[in-house]
């Protein structure tokens, strides 16, 4: 019998509530969110020891730190984390938003010397790349001085060639960090994986094939079953770790503590369900984005919000009462979705960041949407795989128009305007894993039904499907 599996639990740092405990005023001089504005802090800055005590009081095993582009306070952070006996994950989001960017990209890579410092501390468990699929497809999100996709320029390439170029570029960065560790004699230390944290259910397979571990965001604007089945299938197919981020940014408003429009954009009840859902997937790591929804900081210390109470109950109650006897790589599907990773989530343009892809190459990439629509019995739309597609109006947009920034945070939330919620948590499908067009027979397993879609299929995968059909499985 398998020994009990417990995912490591983590919390990501603040973005609007208070200044970074180590970077201080430097953190307030940069954009800390994707809202396009520099936002003043809402609460007084805590000292590092008080902040770490708060993290540990919430039962966090690790801290996801937003690395400041100027590395302010970085050395002190590493020392304090090590002395506290916590693990650390480095995040690149602030650099993505503000620069400095790696030449020819909109991507911030934590500098080599900073990666080595973190590795030498013995507490760093990885480097988190924030929404790299989004910033490959929508390269103008933050950097405005040209078109610089996250991994590679793909203009003028065929869809397959664009996919391959993105994979090679990501694999090059994975190898670079591995080589850096080896040259410094740190290969025997805990690994320094690059982790792809994603809002769209695209490019999971491409980036896993490149060597990255995977971190799907749940809640956010996602259809949870589709998001998790795609990430889980990619992690299983390519033997990668599965992190899960319970992302409190989202579309809705309600009578709950609110820092900014959309933050949080989910109810405490949905957060509770999402944490349990994520945990039951058997991931290696599960963390929440961000701590400033869980806590308020005042001159008298930290106080939990209703979301902090949910987290506390989850960690101290649900996790302890529900030990896992499985982990994510043990998943075996009843239904397999086999699709080429075409990077289309319903925008039907700029696939893998290619602005020149002809219309003739787009049609086959949309067949995946019909598959999920069918498997969810119509709950998931037939024209996209997340809510950033036509047909969705987000209540947070009304809140942004109606309430000026200086009135935030809202202790009792927002119940005015057009606030019909658009984001339920569950879109049930029956035990589905999504593999790419290169999946081998031994990974595919013995699903009772296999559905094939997308723009490409390898000969090896086709042969495996034929064998499964001859053995009694259905395929279409």
């Amino acid at each position: 019998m398998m020994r009990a599996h417990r995912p490591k639990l983590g919390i990501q740092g603040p973005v609007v509530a208070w200044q970074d405990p180590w970077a201080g005023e430097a953190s307030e001089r940069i954009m800390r969110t994707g809202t396009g504005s520099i936002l003043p802090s809402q609460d007084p800055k805590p000292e590092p020891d008080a902040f770490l005590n708060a993290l540990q009081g919430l039962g966090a095993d690790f801290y996801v730190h937003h690395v400041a582009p100027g590395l302010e306070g970085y050395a002190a952070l590493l020392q304090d984390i090590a002395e506290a006996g916590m693990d650390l994950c480095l995040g690149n989001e602030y650099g993505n938003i503000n620069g400095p960017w790696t030449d020819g990209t909109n991507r911030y890579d934590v500098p080599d010397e900073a990666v080595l410092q973190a590795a030498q501390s013995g507490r760093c468990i990885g480097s988190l790349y924030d929404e790299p699929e989004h910033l490959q497809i929508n390269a103008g999100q933050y950097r405005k001085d040209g078109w610089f996709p996250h991994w590679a320029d793909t203009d003028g390439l065929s869809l397959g060639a664009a996919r391959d170029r993105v994979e090679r570029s990501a694999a090059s960065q994975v190898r670079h960090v591995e080589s850096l560790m080896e040259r410094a004699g740190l290969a025997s230390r805990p690994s320094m994986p690059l982790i792809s944290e994603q809002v769209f259910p695209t490019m999971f397979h491409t980036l896993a094939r490149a060597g990255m571990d995977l971190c799907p965001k749940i809640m956010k604007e996602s259809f949870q079953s589709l998001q998790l089945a795609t990430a889980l299938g990619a992690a299983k197919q390519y033997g990668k770790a599965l992190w899960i981020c319970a992302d409190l940014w989202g579309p809705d408003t309600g009578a709950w503590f609110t820092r900014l429009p959309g933050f949080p954009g989910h109810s405490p009840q949905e957060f509770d369900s999402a944490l349990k859902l994520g945990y039951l997937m058997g991931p290696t790591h599960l963390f929440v984005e961000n701590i400033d929804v869980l806590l308020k900081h005042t001159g008298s210390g930290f106080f939990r919000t209703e979301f902090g109470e949910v987290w506390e109950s989850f960690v101290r109650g649900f996790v302890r009462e529900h030990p896992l006897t499985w982990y994510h790589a043990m998943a075996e599907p009843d239904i397999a979705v086999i699709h080429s990773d075409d990077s289309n989530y319903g925008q039907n343009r700029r696939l893998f960041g290619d602005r020149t892809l002809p219309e003739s190459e787009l049609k086959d990439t949309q067949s995946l949407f019909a598959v999920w629509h069918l498997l969810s019995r119509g709950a998931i739309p037939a024209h996209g795989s997340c809510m950033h597609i036509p047909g969705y109006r987000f209540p947070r947009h009304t809140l942004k128009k109606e309430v000026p920034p200086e009135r935030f945070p809202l202790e009792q939330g927002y119940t005015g305007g057009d606030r019909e919620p658009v984001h339920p948590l569950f879109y049930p499908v029956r035990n589905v894993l999504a593999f790419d067009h290169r999946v081998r027979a031994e990974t595919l397993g013995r699903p009772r039904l296999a559905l094939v879609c997308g723009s490409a299929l390898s000969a090896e995968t086709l042969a495996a499907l034929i064998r499964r059909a001859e053995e009694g499985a259905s395929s279409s």
Side-chain angles (χ1 to χ4, degrees), residues 160 183 331 382 398 427 471:
R183 294 196 308 271
T398 302
Y427 292 80
E471 292 167 358

Side-chain angles (χ1 to χ4, degrees), residues 209-268:
R209 185 176 173 87
M212 298 186 77
D213 286 343
L214 302 179
C215 181
K217 292 188 175 189
I218 54 175
M219 296 191 293
K220 197 65 171 171
E221 294 90 24
S222 303
F223 307 127
Q224 312 308 306
S225 53
L226 189 165
Q227 176 88 335
L228 287 169
T230 305
L232 184 57
K236 180 179 176 67
Q237 183 175 345
Y238 289 107
K240 306 309 297 180
L242 181 70
W243 298 49
I244 293 177
C245 169
D247 190 339
L248 282 159
W249 289 85
D252 288 334
T253 61
W256 55 72
F257 177 72
T258 302
R259 288 282 186 188
L260 290 175
F263 185 49
H266 308 273
S267 70

